[in-house]
Amino acid sequence: MPRLWGFSLYRLLPEFRRLEAEHQEHLKEEFAQFLARWQEKEGFLQVYSLVGLSPEADFLLWQGASHPKALQALRREMHRTRLMGFLEPVALYLDRGEGEPGEEFLALFPFGLEGGPPEGARVFQGEGLLALEGPWEVLFPLALREGGYLAARRTPRELLDEL
C-alpha cells in the first residue's frame, strides 16, 4: 500500500555560527533528541546530510507516513524547537510511494530522470519524484549528470555535528 512521503530540505543560517559554542551545542542536542523521538513513531523518518554535497541545503529529512496529519505534526513540532529559528526551509516535495529507505546514500530527483536508474541502485518511485538509494560510486555520477540532490545517511546527532 502506498504511503505518503515528505522530503524536506533545510539550510542552516549563518547567524547560528555566531552563537557561542555552548549555546550551539544545547540547540543541536535538543533538535537531535526531537528527531530521534520522531524516528520511533509510526512510519519512518530518515535524516541525511547534504553538507559539502549541495550549495542549496545542509540536510534532508525523508518522512513516510500513512496520513497527512503525521506530515503536518512533524513540521508543527519542529517549529517548536529552538534550532528552527536558525534553519531556513529550502524545499518540500510531497508524493506517494512504496518502500522504506535503508542505510546507503540517497539521490533525490524531484522531477525524475532523463534515462533509467543505474545498476546497483534501489529505486523508490513516487508518482512524481524518484529517490534512489545505493553506493556513492553509483549515485554520484548520476547526480552530477542529472542534477539531483545527493545525501549521506546519518543519525540525528551525526547530522547536527556536521553543521
Side-chain angles (χ1 to χ4, degrees), residues 54-83:
S54 170
E56 298 171 23
D58 293 308
F59 69 93
L60 178 150
L61 301 179
W62 181 2
Q63 183 186 12
S66 58
H67 196 275
K69 286 184 178 186
L71 298 175
Q72 292 174 312
L74 172 68
R75 275 139 193 95
R76 181 178 60 247
E77 290 188 32
M78 276 179 66
H79 287 292
R80 292 180 179 146
T81 66
R82 294 177 295 160
L83 186 63

Side-chain angles (χ1 to χ4, degrees), residues 12-85:
L12 185 68
L13 296 174
E15 291 83 1
F16 180 80
R17 290 178 176 75
R18 295 185 196 119
L19 298 174
E20 293 194 24
E22 185 177 324
H23 189 51
Q24 287 181 12
E25 197 55 37
H26 284 267
L27 296 176
K28 286 180 181 181
E29 187 58 31
E30 175 193 45
F31 200 70
Q33 289 176 6
F34 163 78
L35 291 173
R37 279 193 312 271
W38 265 91
Q39 286 182 322
E40 296 172 5
K41 293 188 177 208
E42 177 188 341
F44 65 84
L45 177 66
Q46 296 305 330
V47 180
Y48 297 88
S49 173
L50 284 90
V51 172
L53 303 174
S54 170
E56 298 171 23
D58 293 308
F59 69 93
L60 178 150
L61 301 179
W62 181 2
Q63 183 186 12
S66 58
H67 196 275
K69 286 184 178 186
L71 298 175
Q72 292 174 312
L74 172 68
R75 275 139 193 95
R76 181 178 60 247
E77 290 188 32
M78 276 179 66
H79 287 292
R80 292 180 179 146
T81 66
R82 294 177 295 160
L83 186 63
M84 276 304 292

